[in-house]
Amino acid sequence: DGCSCTIDPDARPLIFPSASSGHASMNFTNLQPVTPYTFVLTCSGATDSVQRTIQTDVGTPSVPMNISAKLSENQRIKLSWSQPTKPAGPIDRYRVFVDRDPTPIELRNNQLFYEIPMKYIYGVRQELFVSACNINRANITICSSPNAGKVEFYLPSTETTTTGSSSSSLSH
């Protein structure tokens, strides 16, 4: 015969098939990332119950906030941002994409800026993308959508050089 068990506090039945090796599973939805959950397993007809605590894995972080691009004194675009409002775990790194280049620039989790190494060419529109990334227990990188972290930078061509700084920004 199979064993019928209940998991508290939901009191949802967990059924062991009669041909089972004594293992059963139950899926839970809408759990928060990197959060400990405790459950109690009590079998009908048994006097003992078992309590277990399991911590959920990291999730997909939200996009970095306050993304902005400014022209620095050395005529390079400096991109900056702040941490995501929903990191879904400890941020492992940030990725910056420049003009749809598929190869990201990988930055440490505490680096909230990046300066493009080439001087800006006036009259050229640049698209810059920033995403935040976590690494889950399976060692898979999970990142926010780069398109959600997009900022465009553009300064028109001029006959004279200006010393002021222009900027473009995107806030989520």
Side-chain angles (χ1 to χ4, degrees), residues 21-132:
S21 63
H23 295 276
S25 65
M26 179 174 279
N27 290 326
F28 293 90
T29 57
N30 299 320
L31 299 178
Q32 296 300 311
V34 194
T35 303
Y37 287 91
T38 300
F39 64 93
V40 177
L41 182 63
T42 306
C43 287
S44 54
T47 56
D48 293 338
S49 60
V50 176
Q51 179 175 316
R52 295 283 187 260
T53 300
I54 297 174
Q55 181 166 308
T56 53
D57 204 352
V58 300
T60 303
S62 61
V63 68
M65 298 295 295
N66 306 314
I67 300 170
S68 68
K70 296 180 180 183
L71 193 62
S72 66
E73 289 180 15
N74 59 6
Q75 302 297 304
R76 294 186 174 115
I77 298 173
K78 185 173 183 178
L79 191 61
S80 63
W81 58 90
S82 53
Q83 297 175 347
T85 55
K86 296 181 181 178
I91 297 297
D92 179 72
R93 65 179 156 245
Y94 291 98
R95 286 182 170 171
V96 173
F97 297 85
V98 179
D99 291 329
R100 303 265 179 203
D101 183 339
T103 306
I105 297 145
E106 304 274 349
L107 303 171
R108 294 183 316 270
N109 62 356
N110 62 350
Q111 187 170 345
L112 301 175
F113 66 91
Y114 177 73
E115 188 171 274
I116 295 176
M118 298 167 294
K119 285 190 175 184
Y120 175 70
I121 300 169
Y122 285 85
V124 175
R125 184 174 310 278
Q126 295 226 239
E127 291 183 318
L128 309 160
F129 305 83
V130 182
S131 65

